[in-house]
Amino acid sequence: MRFSRNDFPPGFVFGAATSAYQIEGHGFGGAGPTHWDSFAATPGNVVRAENGARACDHYHRWAEDLDLVADANFDVYRFSTSWARVLPEGRGTPNTEGLDFYDRLVDGICARGLKPAATLYHWELPCAMADLGGWRNRDIAGWFADFTETLMRRIGDRVWSAAPINEPWCVAWLSHFDGHHAPGLRDIRATARAMHHVGLAHGRAIEAMRALGVTNLGAVCNFEYAQPADESAEAAEAAQLYDGIYNRWFLGAMFRGEYPEDVLAGLGAHMPDGWQEDMATICAPVDWLGLNYYTRRLIAPADGPWPGLRTLEGPLPKTQMGWEVYPQGLCHFLRFAHEGYTRGLPLHVTENGMANPDSPGIPDAARIAFIEDHLAELRRAIEEGVPVAGYYLWSLLDNYEWAFGYEKRFGLVHVDFDSLKRSPKASYEALRGALTR
Ligand code: FCB
């Protein structure tokens, strides 16, 4: 690695990130069915119709996995908790096995000298909630706050940080407008409602955790650099709107209590009645912002109804996902969030990494270069005065990459999905060396 721990300010933390459905094995431990199980069971949604029933079997191998985090000299382990594991019906009677699992996990993280960074929802909505309309139903904010309380009464005394919802844009837009993720809808009214209720659920969960005395609460949003496909005014306008939907909607709501006008122009007619009254809850104060950053997208105008835009393939080198590698976007968004929204709050890069067709024994040199180039941009932001406080790799393990099944390998550690053997990659070893204390 072209850097070491000493190249970062004192107190700066490095972490590894995972999520529940992607690694645990949702078939184990009495977890309830989720909308990802039914989405994956529907032909055409997921590569080979794979699901998270076994995944990396982290449910049984968590101790070995936490050892891997600690041995790489990371400071933080960012994990998520499955709503359906804790409350198989989404509400009502908790699953004791599920609560016990997260209790053990948090103890295991602390016992290894790591900081537990919890995300409460990383996309596995209980089917019972989906049956009631899921994110389209305003009541989800209350159900989610109740889940938050049930879980945090158990682990809230030991978590180092907590964020309610991973990547609101994916939960709302990708899943209800693009239809690429569960529940696989393509409907603008459903989208507008989800875009609002996700924020409301975030705010209600923050309030619930504050009431319990849980500290160091944040939000985790994803960002994609919107590059106009050509020099035309139309392409610039399309890219600006894409940026609004993707990058400014949730930040605006959570940090300023308002939605961007350009996006409201399209979504406004489909919003739930009285949404304005919820804005004070959505912008409940938080202590930090987490940014997940992977790539940029070329945007061009398109015929048809609002938003009238399309994405094009760009010319830059791409990862196994087909995503362009564009490290400059990371510095851009750190600066953008700090100057326009968070104004001094600590920023954590809660996800960054790349998929690569790795096999054990073959060094993942491309991933090492990817990390180095993104860390150089992160350091540039720090030099400009942006208060960046942490950087977490996505991901610790190769895992269930949603609609792509097990094909895309994001891990620092290779997983053989037949034997479930874990084999650290060259990037893991390089980080371990760079992060030595
Ligand atoms: C993010 C998700 C994470 C993983 C990475 C590649 O959007 O939070 O679960 O899928 O992308």
Side-chain angles (χ1 to χ4, degrees), residues 19 22 122-123 166-167 170 222 292 294 323 351 394 401-402 410:
S19 94
Q22 294 178 274
H122 199 128
W123 308 352
N166 181 68
E167 301 188 349
C170 289
N222 53 325
N292 294 355
Y294 290 93
W323 296 349
E351 283 181 28
W394 184 270
E401 180 45 39
W402 307 112
F410 273 94

Side-chain angles (χ1 to χ4, degrees), residues 90-112:
R91 14 176 213 180
T93 313
N95 168 31
T96 317
E97 273 181 88
L99 282 171
D100 289 351
F101 172 69
Y102 292 121
D103 199 44
R104 275 199 302 280
L105 186 70
V106 170
D107 275 349
I109 298 169
C110 296
R112 287 164 180 78

Side-chain angles (χ1 to χ4, degrees), residues 184-364:
L185 294 180
R186 300 198 61 237
D187 183 278
I188 195 164
R189 181 176 165 94
T191 303
R193 277 141 211 274
M195 292 286 275
H196 184 64
H197 297 147
V198 170
L200 186 60
H202 157 87
R204 291 285 304 276
I206 292 288
E207 288 174 357
M209 290 194 280
R210 291 264 184 242
L212 287 174
V214 185
T215 55
N216 201 18
L217 308 181
V220 173
C221 296
N222 53 325
F223 297 87
E224 205 170 86
Y225 191 86
Q227 177 75 46
D230 57 43
E231 312 267 275
S232 69
E234 292 77 15
E237 210 178 300
Q240 175 70 8
L241 182 54
Y242 187 89
D243 180 69
I245 295 168
Y246 207 116
N247 303 315
R248 288 183 276 112
W249 178 267
F250 292 104
L251 281 194
M254 290 171 177
F255 292 94
R256 295 182 183 168
E258 62 188 32
Y259 289 130
E261 286 301 329
D262 51 352
V263 185
L264 262 186
L267 284 187
H270 309 284
M271 293 285 280
D273 288 343
W275 61 265
Q276 293 86 345
E277 276 111 73
D278 295 329
M279 299 313 284
T281 305
I282 299 177
C283 76
V286 293
D287 306 307
W288 52 271
L289 170 68
L291 297 93
N292 294 355
Y293 175 74
Y294 290 93
T295 190
R296 74 164 190 179
R297 202 73 72 169
L298 297 199
I299 313 295
D303 294 335
W306 187 91
L309 51 84
R310 66 205 158 102
T311 58
L312 301 181
E313 193 175 322
L316 301 178
K318 299 185 183 63
T319 70
Q320 193 190 14
M321 295 295 281
W323 296 349
E324 284 190 301
V325 179
Y326 187 64
Q328 300 90 318
L330 183 59
C331 183
H332 164 82
F333 283 117
L334 290 165
R335 198 192 291 131
F336 164 87
H338 169 64
E339 289 173 359
Y341 299 90
T342 54
R343 299 173 183 280
L345 286 183
L347 303 180
H348 289 262
V349 177
T350 31
E351 283 181 28
N352 180 235
M354 68 174 282
N356 201 48
D358 301 312
S359 328
I362 301 178
D364 55 337

Side-chain angles (χ1 to χ4, degrees), residues 34-248:
T34 80
H35 71 172
W36 263 95
D37 301 307
S38 49
F39 182 75
T42 310
N45 283 341
V46 176
V47 173
R48 289 185 291 271
E50 289 168 341
N51 62 35
R54 185 171 80 143
C56 304
D57 190 26
H58 173 75
Y59 184 77
H60 298 108
R61 297 167 198 247
W62 59 270
E64 175 189 352
D65 294 340
L66 294 184
D67 286 345
L68 284 165
V69 183
D71 290 348
N73 297 314
F74 284 117
D75 310 293
V76 176
Y77 178 52
R78 175 174 179 253
F79 66 104
S80 82
T81 53
S82 163
W83 186 346
R85 182 177 294 295
V86 173
L87 293 164
E89 292 296 317
R91 14 176 213 180
T93 313
N95 168 31
T96 317
E97 273 181 88
L99 282 171
D100 289 351
F101 172 69
Y102 292 121
D103 199 44
R104 275 199 302 280
L105 186 70
V106 170
D107 275 349
I109 298 169
C110 296
R112 287 164 180 78
L114 297 163
K115 300 178 194 303
T119 305
L120 277 85
Y121 180 81
H122 199 128
W123 308 352
E124 60 287 88
L125 189 71
C127 281
M129 303 283 86
D131 293 343
L132 294 171
W135 294 104
R136 282 173 290 165
N137 186 336
R138 187 175 204 287
D139 292 343
I140 197 163
W143 303 329
F144 184 65
D146 291 346
F147 155 59
T148 300
E149 202 178 315
T150 303
L151 176 72
M152 283 298 157
R153 278 194 191 284
R154 189 67 183 269
I155 63 170
D157 56 334
R158 281 154 293 147
V159 296
W160 170 69
S161 73
I165 295 170
N166 181 68
E167 301 188 349
W169 178 88
C170 289
V171 176
W173 192 272
L174 187 67
S175 310
H176 296 80
F177 192 84
D178 293 336
H180 295 328
H181 277 189
L185 294 180
R186 300 198 61 237
D187 183 278
I188 195 164
R189 181 176 165 94
T191 303
R193 277 141 211 274
M195 292 286 275
H196 184 64
H197 297 147
V198 170
L200 186 60
H202 157 87
R204 291 285 304 276
I206 292 288
E207 288 174 357
M209 290 194 280
R210 291 264 184 242
L212 287 174
V214 185
T215 55
N216 201 18
L217 308 181
V220 173
C221 296
N222 53 325
F223 297 87
E224 205 170 86
Y225 191 86
Q227 177 75 46
D230 57 43
E231 312 267 275
S232 69
E234 292 77 15
E237 210 178 300
Q240 175 70 8
L241 182 54
Y242 187 89
D243 180 69
I245 295 168
Y246 207 116
N247 303 315
R248 288 183 276 112

